[in-house]
Amino acid sequence: MRRKIYVDSSVPGVRVPFTEVELGSSPGPLGDEPNEPVRLYDTSGPGSEPEKGLPALRRQWVLERGDVAPCDGRAATARDDGRGAVRDTARRPDPFPGAARTVLRASAGRPVTQLHYARQGVVTPEMAFVATREGVEPEVVRAELAAGRAILPANVNHLESEPMVIGKRFLTKVNANIGNSAVTSSVAEEVEKLTWATRFGADTVMDLSTGPAIHTTREWIVRNSPVPIGTVPIYQALEKVDGSAPDLTWEVYRDTVIEQAEQGVDYMTVHAGVLLRYVPMTVNRVTGIVSRGGAIMAAWCLAHHEENFLYTHFEELCEIFAAYDVAFSLGDGLRPGSVADANDEAQFSELRTLGALTEVAWEHGVQVMVEGPGHVPLDKVIDNVVLQQQVCHEAPFYTLGPLTTDVAPGYDHITSAIGAAVIAMAGTAMLCYVTPKEHLGLPDRDDVRAGMVAYKIAAHAADVAKGHAGARAWDDALSKARFEFRWEDQFDLALDPETARRYHDETLPAEPAKTAHFCSMCGPKFCSMRISQDVRRMAADDPVAVGLRSKSDEFRDTGSQLYQAVGRPS
Amino acid sequence: MRRKIYVDSSVPGVRVPFTEVELGSSPGPLGDEPNEPVRLYDTSGPGSEPEKGLPALRRQWVLERGDVAPCDGRAATARDDGRGAVRDTARRPDPFPGAARTVLRASAGRPVTQLHYARQGVVTPEMAFVATREGVEPEVVRAELAAGRAILPANVNHLESEPMVIGKRFLTKVNANIGNSAVTSSVAEEVEKLTWATRFGADTVMDLSTGPAIHTTREWIVRNSPVPIGTVPIYQALEKVDGSAPDLTWEVYRDTVIEQAEQGVDYMTVHAGVLLRYVPMTVNRVTGIVSRGGAIMAAWCLAHHEENFLYTHFEELCEIFAAYDVAFSLGDGLRPGSVADANDEAQFSELRTLGALTEVAWEHGVQVMVEGPGHVPLDKVIDNVVLQQQVCHEAPFYTLGPLTTDVAPGYDHITSAIGAAVIAMAGTAMLCYVTPKEHLGLPDRDDVRAGMVAYKIAAHAADVAKGHAGARAWDDALSKARFEFRWEDQFDLALDPETARRYHDETLPAEPAKTAHFCSMCGPKFCSMRISQDVRRMAADDPVAVGLRSKSDEFRDTGSQLYQAVGRPS
């Protein structure tokens, strides 16, 4: 049986949610032997009525630090939802109806970021929360944050979020992208996708809306999100100038960042590494520039023949981010969009620039992670994280897949889960999921689920391979349940219990089959698990088998001679 | 547009099927530029009416060698379908109704195997066929076969099959398992699964039936299969002794192998490495013995306290296999069934024994591949193929996945596609697919498709990573079509065109959307591909951009100094 529990952290009153799976007992020689319950990381949040939003879990923690003050905040305007919204008021969705909210901002001269506190040696309630969540000492969290090897995205205006940490020392995280486009989706659908994403384990959610009502959609999402929210502010800025990249200005962008920071966005993708001189490097690529933000900035640079304003104004951006504890997700605007373009000059030139920008952000006390590709053939995947860790001074890497082949549209959650598992094993801290709809359309709820499950698999496979403390225990508990035909335990422990149960029931639906010592794959007579249990019993009970066991011990003692003795059959 | 074509090989009259994808032209500065059609490996066969079976493509090739003679063959008995079939005649399916068939066997003293001919320096029509299929010189195929580094499974009684080769020098192959169990499935369903498997790219199909009518089901399958068929004869042998492992005898097994060889089975899994002394090594595993064949032989060994009869009679088995050119698939009966049990003493002890047996088979001129796991954490995957290649003298490795985590029943096509791609990149020659139903039930038609697509992705990702000649061309053609908004070409080139088209149409169903320069993901204004094309045009047309290009050349020339120059933004 699955149930939600709360576990105390090192800070009084700070309690951490887990899913606890209670297990049946195992048959033992002296009767039933109980199995310890298994605790699983839980991102689903406390649940909400979308119109009210989630409770402000972090309010007290933030206010008690005394480093923020209420500010008037920027009044939302119709233009925030794009010029289209100004013209076409009928298409505007309802504003978020929840309680009025005080906008917070750093008090004059006061640093507020988790990076700042970590450097000061302070374990914040947020750090204590994630330490318990990860099963490590709070000092480990603090030290990794202080070194910049991990980030804890926690905007002072997103009080609803349950803290989490992104860093290679911790469990591999998964981000789910949601958001509408000009062609499709409503606000209610986006909130539903958010809920499905966190139900299936999304550690953060990016709202990539590009359609109408960007501001309003985001308000609904942030207020209902138990996980950090990321955005790409250039999308909204472009809407404000009616989709014309050359009309973008630093001022429009800056105001958009402030607007989003006030709403509570926890991290923002900034394509500050798309430098004017790198753009021509993409001309002979098979797929040019495939990052939307990268393409927008490249078009701006070329139109003005000026350097990227995100680069030239980067320090001002750092000051804004610092005032709300927004983390940078330094965008890879020149990432490859096909395996042909992987690891090329454009991609790696930009990456080195992101390394330089990482240091600038750190000087301002701002948390940073760095985004990575994209489409990369399997033999070139690990080079990406090795180079990123080197040139970005071990700032966390956050990769989109990578997709290991371009030939399977409709299945890119799989082409990319392969690359994702490998790059995470090699040190990527967070994976951006890819859904089956990638390259074809916007994901619906079912696509969100398919993408999430594929990526939770990739992340967990990497954690097991990295030997992350506790990761393997989940596998072992499920395998033990499988071997002992504890079907209900097997379903409850499954990454997606509902699907596992449904597949089993398609061929053996009857309730007694849930306790049967076989399944429909082989039927009762052929079950290797059952035969194997018989073998185990024979080896335990039978004098002959006991003889075998001591023989086996003897073979073990002779070591490799055993193998040399294995010659031709007689 | 997709169409089937036939390409001449180096042997007159031997023609090889491909799927040819005709592509639209690309917009160029001087008008439309045509794109070369793309040829894809095609396993779907000529198509058949199940009641008639496929034409005997190889009849002439086999007969012209003059090394086989008709033999009476073993008359099928009701017992061949298991004792249950004898008792319950009502449950027996219709016998295969196709034309009567002459059973062939080596003429006295004549070697007939492809390995034999390769060693003699002879390029058989089968070798010429696969050389064209793989895009290599026939001599490459012959040399790899002669060295035992590849096999060409081609029973002289499976004249319907289109030759294929399994070896690390060639494209990575995928096997699909089908077959009924005591609980479920009919003959017609199994033939349908065969057809779906080959339609989605199965290079071989294993019939793992364990239910009633094993013999009859297999006859229908072999007669309709354009790809080599593999089996695990111990399953049928066990049925003949009514499911009681201790009642198995060498004689029952031997007769079963002959029966199946006469039907045309191209390779057989033989668990000859499950030695008596290895069985106790599995007692303390989390999941004991999970191979059905392994569990059956372990139970037999323990019950009799005798050595595995497959091991003690291995040379007799070689003589039978040699007479029909049946290839060994040396089974890993002690493979791990959970990540906890991976790479343990039991598994690797058996593997070393399989290495010794490989040499025995080669002495008899019999082709050999070796089976591998199973469940292996990602960090231990590559060790498996490295050790196998070493101790089995580079005989082809044929692995089941491996699954990289145990926690996702219902999604094991994904948990295992990750391991499969990695192990194939490192040298595994054939991957046995895993379907979403693994551990839960028998796959249906849709599961076969899901498993096949996941594994074709894994295999192709590995081929691209290995730099297999021609593999990347497919990716590049699709990516170019994507960048140029040639939607129909993109669908036609997709691994699963129907699914790609359907996903696209879910959000943009109208026919004009197929020529639109955007999709529903971002809508028209936000399309990075479109903006990127604008960037390309600007760089080509604009004097400013031309200036940029020469600047870029200059940066390229200064090499790494470029990167050093990337400092703090101003």
Side-chain angles (χ1 to χ4, degrees):
Chain A
M1 203 185 71
R2 282 185 168 217
R3 64 191 184 106
K4 191 152 195 155
I5 61 163
Y6 289 85
V7 174
D8 288 335
S9 76
S10 61
V11 172
V14 174
R15 297 163 69 239
V16 181
F18 287 90
T19 296
E20 189 164 86
V21 187
E22 291 176 2
L23 302 175
S25 52
S26 299
L30 305 172
D32 284 355
E33 294 167 0
N35 286 292
E36 286 293 305
V38 174
R39 278 186 193 165
L40 303 178
Y41 195 104
D42 184 334
T43 56
S44 63
S48 70
E49 295 166 58
E51 296 74 21
K52 291 187 180 168
L54 295 173
L57 172 72
R58 292 174 54 224
R59 176 174 289 132
Q60 193 189 342
W61 310 344
V62 169
L63 294 181
E64 279 183 355
R65 282 196 280 271
D67 55 7
V68 292
C71 67
D72 288 342
R74 193 182 153 284
T77 69
R79 190 166 174 258
D80 294 346
D81 278 338
R83 287 197 184 170
V86 178
R87 286 192 298 260
D88 183 4
T89 51
R91 288 181 69 195
R92 298 199 69 192
D94 294 333
F96 177 72
R101 204 172 50 85
T102 306
V103 174
L104 300 175
R105 194 181 187 290
S107 307
R110 293 291 302 269
V112 306
T113 68
Q114 296 289 324
L115 174 55
H116 164 73
Y117 286 106
R119 284 173 175 168
Q120 300 299 310
V122 175
V123 172
T124 61
E126 287 88 346
M127 295 179 208
F129 188 102
V130 302
T132 299
R133 213 168 189 188
E134 298 274 347
V136 300
E137 292 300 312
E139 173 54 22
V140 173
V141 176
R142 190 207 59 75
E144 292 295 299
L145 291 176
R149 284 191 299 264
I151 67 170
L152 195 165
N155 185 322
V156 296
N157 289 306
H158 189 195
L159 301 176
E160 299 87 347
S161 78
E162 294 174 338
M164 51 78 69
V165 68
I166 301 167
K168 64 184 171 185
R169 173 74 180 72
F170 305 104
L171 289 165
T172 303
K173 302 304 186 294
V174 176
N175 171 70
N177 289 339
I178 63 171
N180 68 4
S181 78
V183 177
T184 181
S185 302
S186 72
V187 168
E189 277 177 278
E190 296 312 315
V191 173
E192 192 187 21
K193 285 185 209 169
L194 164 74
T195 304
W196 272 61
T198 56
R199 174 177 159 198
F200 285 101
D203 294 288
T204 74
V205 168
M206 289 193 80
D207 173 15
L208 302 185
S209 292
T210 59
I214 290 187
H215 179 99
T216 307
T217 304
R218 188 170 49 239
E219 188 69 23
W220 281 83
I221 288 173
V222 176
R223 299 285 77 81
N224 281 288
S225 178
V227 300
I229 294 294
T231 59
V232 187
I234 199 81
Y235 295 174
Q236 186 183 10
L238 188 71
E239 278 299 294
K240 291 182 183 177
V241 295
D242 213 14
S244 171
D247 293 340
L248 281 166
T249 63
W250 159 245
E251 289 72 21
V252 167
Y253 183 85
R254 179 197 60 203
D255 285 357
T256 305
V257 167
I258 292 169
E259 170 190 344
Q260 298 195 5
E262 288 181 352
Q263 282 185 301
V265 170
D266 299 283
Y267 64 89
M268 299 185 195
T269 296
V270 178
H271 297 96
V274 180
L275 300 191
L276 178 60
R277 63 180 178 275
Y278 300 157
V279 176
M281 295 177 183
T282 66
V283 168
N284 294 318
R285 280 177 157 188
V286 170
T287 46
I289 300 175
V290 297
S291 150
R292 280 181 273 175
I296 293 164
M297 292 318 301
W300 188 91
C301 290
L302 285 189
H304 295 274
H305 200 215
E306 272 180 32
E307 192 52 278
N308 182 339
F309 63 75
L310 300 173
Y311 182 78
T312 56
H313 290 270
F314 192 73
E315 295 204 86
E316 287 167 76
L317 212 45
C318 289
E319 285 164 18
I320 299 167
F321 277 40
Y324 305 91
D325 201 0
V326 175
F328 276 108
S329 186
L330 293 175
D332 55 336
L334 303 182
R335 68 170 177 268
S338 54
V339 294
D341 295 339
N343 295 19
D344 72 354
E345 186 189 20
Q347 183 195 340
F348 284 162
S349 297
E350 180 188 32
L351 180 60
R352 288 168 200 273
T353 298
L354 299 185
L357 295 173
T358 296
E359 290 185 294
V360 177
W362 282 347
E363 283 172 28
H364 289 266
V366 177
Q367 306 191 84
V368 186
M369 61 180 169
V370 176
E371 297 185 8
H375 292 241
V376 183
L378 198 48
D379 58 314
K380 293 184 177 172
V381 165
I382 290 177
D383 291 350
N384 276 274
V385 60
V386 169
L387 181 64
Q388 183 274 338
Q389 286 290 289
Q390 180 197 322
V391 303
C392 299
H393 322 288
E394 297 192 80
F397 203 27
Y398 167 31
T399 60
L400 177 66
L403 285 70
T404 53
T405 170
D406 308 336
V407 302
Y411 298 89
D412 279 329
H413 59 313
I414 299 179
T415 65
S416 65
I418 293 168
V422 170
I423 206 163
M425 178 174 68
T428 287
M430 184 157 79
L431 303 168
C432 183
Y433 86 166
V434 172
T435 79
K437 288 280 171 58
E438 184 77 15
H439 299 118
L440 298 169
L442 271 189
D444 62 20
R445 204 181 64 169
D446 291 338
D447 299 316
V448 168
R449 178 184 189 151
M452 274 313 304
V453 171
Y455 271 70
K456 292 304 280 188
I457 287 169
H460 183 70
D463 290 337
V464 168
K466 287 166 77 177
H468 189 287
R472 248 277 303 284
W474 185 10
D475 297 73
D476 294 353
L478 194 146
S479 290
K480 187 162 185 268
R482 179 174 284 155
F483 191 66
E484 293 170 355
F485 300 101
R486 286 184 278 119
W487 287 100
E488 291 293 343
D489 287 351
Q490 205 180 142
F491 301 147
D492 286 342
L493 283 164
L495 187 54
D496 180 352
E498 184 186 306
T499 299
R501 198 180 304 264
R502 181 162 50 82
Y503 283 0
H504 176 269
D505 290 358
E506 274 180 26
T507 36
L508 279 183
E511 209 44 47
K514 300 288 177 15
T515 52
H517 279 203
F518 62 91
C519 74
S520 64
M521 291 181 76
C522 310
K525 278 194 309 194
F526 258 93
C527 180
S528 61
M529 294 275 197
R530 194 188 51 69
I531 299 173
S532 186
Q533 291 191 0
D534 293 345
V535 167
R536 186 176 285 192
R537 266 191 296 278
M538 288 166 83
D541 301 345
D542 189 320
V544 174
V546 173
L548 277 177
R549 182 180 284 179
S550 53
K551 251 193 201 169
S552 164
D553 291 343
E554 188 185 306
F555 282 119
R556 261 194 290 272
D557 294 340
T558 58
S560 63
Q561 289 170 27
L562 171 65
Y563 307 127
Q564 291 159 20
V566 176
R568 300 193 39 172
S570 53
Chain B
M1 202 186 70
R2 282 186 168 217
R3 64 190 183 106
K4 192 152 194 154
I5 62 162
Y6 289 87
V7 175
D8 288 335
S9 75
S10 61
V11 171
V14 174
R15 297 163 69 238
V16 181
F18 287 90
T19 296
E20 190 165 84
V21 187
E22 291 176 1
L23 302 175
S25 51
S26 299
L30 305 172
D32 283 356
E33 293 167 0
N35 285 293
E36 285 294 305
V38 173
R39 278 186 193 165
L40 302 177
Y41 195 104
D42 184 333
T43 57
S44 63
S48 70
E49 296 166 57
E51 295 74 20
K52 290 186 180 169
L54 295 172
L57 172 72
R58 293 174 56 223
R59 176 174 288 132
Q60 196 189 338
W61 310 345
V62 168
L63 295 181
E64 279 183 354
R65 282 196 280 270
D67 56 7
V68 291
C71 68
D72 286 342
R74 195 182 152 285
T77 69
R79 190 166 173 256
D80 294 347
D81 278 339
R83 285 197 186 171
V86 178
R87 286 193 297 259
D88 183 4
T89 52
R91 289 182 67 195
R92 299 200 68 194
D94 293 333
F96 177 71
R101 205 172 50 84
T102 306
V103 174
L104 300 175
R105 192 181 188 289
S107 307
R110 294 291 300 270
V112 307
T113 68
Q114 297 288 324
L115 174 55
H116 164 74
Y117 286 107
R119 284 172 174 170
Q120 300 298 310
V122 175
V123 172
T124 62
E126 286 88 346
M127 295 178 208
F129 188 103
V130 302
T132 299
R133 212 168 190 188
E134 297 275 347
V136 300
E137 291 301 311
E139 173 55 21
V140 173
V141 176
R142 190 206 60 74
E144 291 295 297
L145 291 176
R149 285 191 298 266
I151 67 170
L152 194 166
N155 185 322
V156 295
N157 289 307
H158 188 195
L159 302 175
E160 299 87 347
S161 78
E162 295 173 338
M164 52 79 69
V165 68
I166 302 166
K168 64 184 171 186
R169 172 74 181 70
F170 307 104
L171 289 164
T172 304
K173 302 304 186 295
V174 176
N175 171 71
N177 289 339
I178 62 171
N180 68 5
S181 77
V183 178
T184 181
S185 304
S186 73
V187 168
E189 278 177 276
E190 296 312 315
V191 174
E192 193 188 21
K193 285 184 208 169
L194 164 75
T195 304
W196 274 61
T198 56
R199 175 178 158 198
F200 286 101
D203 294 287
T204 73
V205 168
M206 290 193 80
D207 173 15
L208 301 185
S209 292
T210 58
I214 290 186
H215 179 98
T216 306
T217 304
R218 187 168 51 238
E219 188 69 23
W220 280 84
I221 288 173
V222 176
R223 299 286 76 82
N224 281 289
S225 178
V227 300
I229 294 294
T231 59
V232 187
I234 200 80
Y235 295 174
Q236 187 183 9
L238 189 71
E239 278 299 293
K240 291 182 183 178
V241 296
D242 213 15
S244 171
D247 294 341
L248 282 167
T249 64
W250 159 246
E251 289 72 22
V252 167
Y253 184 85
R254 180 196 59 203
D255 285 358
T256 305
V257 167
I258 292 171
E259 171 191 343
Q260 299 195 4
E262 290 181 351
Q263 282 185 301
V265 171
D266 300 284
Y267 65 88
M268 299 184 195
T269 297
V270 178
H271 298 96
V274 180
L275 300 191
L276 178 60
R277 63 180 177 274
Y278 299 158
V279 177
M281 295 177 184
T282 66
V283 168
N284 293 320
R285 281 178 156 187
V286 170
T287 45
I289 300 174
V290 297
S291 151
R292 281 181 272 174
I296 293 164
M297 293 317 302
W300 188 92
C301 289
L302 286 189
H304 295 274
H305 200 215
E306 273 180 33
E307 192 51 278
N308 181 339
F309 62 76
L310 300 173
Y311 182 79
T312 56
H313 290 272
F314 192 74
E315 295 205 87
E316 289 167 76
L317 212 45
C318 289
E319 287 164 16
I320 299 168
F321 276 40
Y324 305 91
D325 202 0
V326 175
F328 275 108
S329 187
L330 293 175
D332 55 336
L334 303 181
R335 68 170 177 267
S338 54
V339 293
D341 295 340
N343 295 18
D344 72 353
E345 185 190 21
Q347 183 195 339
F348 283 163
S349 297
E350 181 188 30
L351 180 60
R352 288 168 199 272
T353 297
L354 300 184
L357 295 172
T358 297
E359 290 186 293
V360 176
W362 282 347
E363 284 173 27
H364 289 267
V366 177
Q367 306 189 86
V368 186
M369 61 180 169
V370 176
E371 297 185 8
H375 293 240
V376 182
L378 199 48
D379 59 313
K380 292 183 177 173
V381 165
I382 290 178
D383 291 350
N384 277 271
V385 59
V386 169
L387 181 64
Q388 184 274 339
Q389 287 289 289
Q390 180 197 322
V391 303
C392 299
H393 322 288
E394 297 191 82
F397 202 27
Y398 167 30
T399 60
L400 177 66
L403 287 70
T404 53
T405 170
D406 307 336
V407 302
Y411 297 88
D412 279 328
H413 59 312
I414 300 179
T415 66
S416 65
I418 294 168
V422 170
I423 206 164
M425 178 174 68
T428 287
M430 185 156 79
L431 303 168
C432 183
Y433 85 168
V434 171
T435 79
K437 288 279 171 61
E438 184 77 13
H439 298 119
L440 298 168
L442 270 188
D444 61 20
R445 203 180 64 169
D446 292 337
D447 298 316
V448 167
R449 178 183 187 151
M452 275 312 306
V453 171
Y455 271 71
K456 292 305 280 188
I457 287 169
H460 183 70
D463 290 338
V464 168
K466 286 166 78 176
H468 190 284
R472 249 277 302 283
W474 185 9
D475 298 73
D476 293 353
L478 194 146
S479 289
K480 188 162 184 269
R482 178 174 286 155
F483 190 66
E484 293 170 354
F485 300 102
R486 288 185 277 117
W487 287 100
E488 290 294 344
D489 288 352
Q490 204 180 142
F491 301 148
D492 285 342
L493 283 165
L495 186 55
D496 181 353
E498 185 186 305
T499 298
R501 199 179 303 265
R502 181 162 52 81
Y503 283 0
H504 176 269
D505 290 359
E506 274 180 26
T507 35
L508 279 183
E511 209 43 48
K514 300 288 176 16
T515 53
H517 279 203
F518 62 92
C519 74
S520 63
M521 291 181 76
C522 311
K525 278 195 307 195
F526 257 92
C527 181
S528 62
M529 293 276 198
R530 194 187 52 69
I531 300 172
S532 185
Q533 291 191 0
D534 293 345
V535 167
R536 187 176 286 192
R537 265 191 296 278
M538 289 165 82
D541 300 344
D542 189 320
V544 174
V546 173
L548 278 177
R549 182 180 284 177
S550 54
K551 251 193 202 170
S552 165
D553 290 344
E554 189 186 305
F555 282 119
R556 260 194 291 273
D557 294 337
T558 58
S560 63
Q561 289 170 30
L562 171 65
Y563 307 127
Q564 290 160 20
V566 175
R568 298 192 41 168
S570 53

